Structure formats: C-alpha cells, structure tokens
Amino acid sequence: MPTERRSAMPYSPKKPCRYPGCPRLTHNTYCDIHARQVSSYYNQYQRPKRIRPRYHRGWSKIRQQYLLRHPFCEMCLSQGRYTQATEVHHVLPLEHGGTNDFKNLMALCKPCHSRITAQMDDRWHQKPRQYNY
C-alpha cells in the first residue's frame, strides 16, 4: 500500500514587525509583544469612549470561539473559495442594537471585511442603515 502524503499549504514569508525599531519577524502586522501594546493603546486612546464598554475582555473570548467554530470566511465560502477568516463582523452593529450572539456574527477575511465596511459608507455607524448581504 502506498503511503498517502498530505501536502500542507505553504506559509507566506515572515515580515518585520511594524512597531518602530522592532527587529522581530512575524506573520501578522505586529509581533506578539507589540500587538498587545498597540491594542491596549488603541482601546485606551483611539476607540470612542461610548464604544469602549461594548468591546470588553469577554469580546476577545467570544471572537476566538467564533473563529474556532467558523475558520473560513463566510462570504468566500458562498462563492466556493476557502479563505481563512481573520475578522469577526457584527451583522447588526452594536450601536444599532446588535449583540455578540453568534447569530449576529460573521467570520470574514480581511478583504471581505474591508469591502463590507466600505459598502456601509458610514465608518463610525452614526446613522441607522439597513444592511443587505
């Protein structure tokens, strides 16, 4: 019996961490150390105050659980493509009464998430809209 070989998908090469002066290589934008620092800075100084309580510590756990259950981008899957999901999108934004319930979430790749955000045409969700996917 011939042995069956599994071919793994190749990884993209590592890139330098984008944090100024950091020499580490990573597959993400920032290395693990600086990713936490940048996230903390964003949450403290750049995220609007009225939104901060909605993205509490529990959100990261919910997001991680959702990505474990839905590892592929849901929009790409509907088109027959298998792309790893890296973003979790709220179908109905939290500001318009949406929740962190799994029925209100979508696993998306970065390009699909960016496209949906651009199509919403309201970056900070200031006016109520009807979303069609």
Side-chain angles (χ1 to χ4, degrees):
M1 267 183 151
T3 58
E4 189 175 311
R5 291 180 68 193
R6 286 180 117 176
S7 60
M9 293 205 43
Y11 289 102
S12 61
K14 289 186 174 183
K15 308 171 289 223
C17 173
R18 293 198 46 204
Y19 196 83
C22 180
R24 293 182 189 89
L25 297 176
T26 181
H27 287 291
N28 301 317
T29 306
Y30 297 100
C31 65
D32 293 338
I33 295 168
H34 292 120
R36 279 185 249 126
Q37 288 179 354
V38 169
S39 179
S40 174
Y41 179 85
Y42 173 75
N43 287 331
Q44 188 171 5
Y45 298 109
Q46 292 178 314
R47 180 168 274 165
K49 288 182 182 181
R50 60 189 164 83
I51 293 176
R52 279 185 215 157
R54 296 182 185 147
Y55 289 100
H56 48 79
R57 182 194 284 165
W59 166 244
S60 61
K61 290 180 182 179
I62 293 167
R63 180 185 178 281
Q64 184 178 22
Q65 288 175 353
Y66 194 80
L67 286 174
L68 284 173
R69 292 183 187 173
H70 302 90
F72 298 109
C73 173
E74 295 177 32
M75 293 199 65
C76 290
L77 272 178
S78 68
Q79 298 170 359
R81 293 178 297 177
Y82 291 89
T83 309
Q84 182 181 4
T86 56
E87 309 279 330
V88 176
H89 175 70
H90 288 91
V91 176
L92 180 64
L94 295 174
E95 290 200 357
H96 299 297
T99 64
N100 288 333
D101 188 20
F102 279 14
K103 291 181 241 172
N104 188 41
L105 301 177
M106 281 180 80
L108 299 172
C109 61
K110 182 70 174 171
C112 287
H113 189 254
S114 297
R115 183 172 40 258
I116 286 176
T117 304
Q119 286 173 348
M120 287 168 34
D121 193 36
D122 184 20
R123 177 71 174 111
W124 303 112
H125 316 297
Q126 294 172 354
K127 54 187 175 191
R129 302 192 76 141
Q130 188 68 3
Y131 304 107
N132 298 319
Y133 297 109

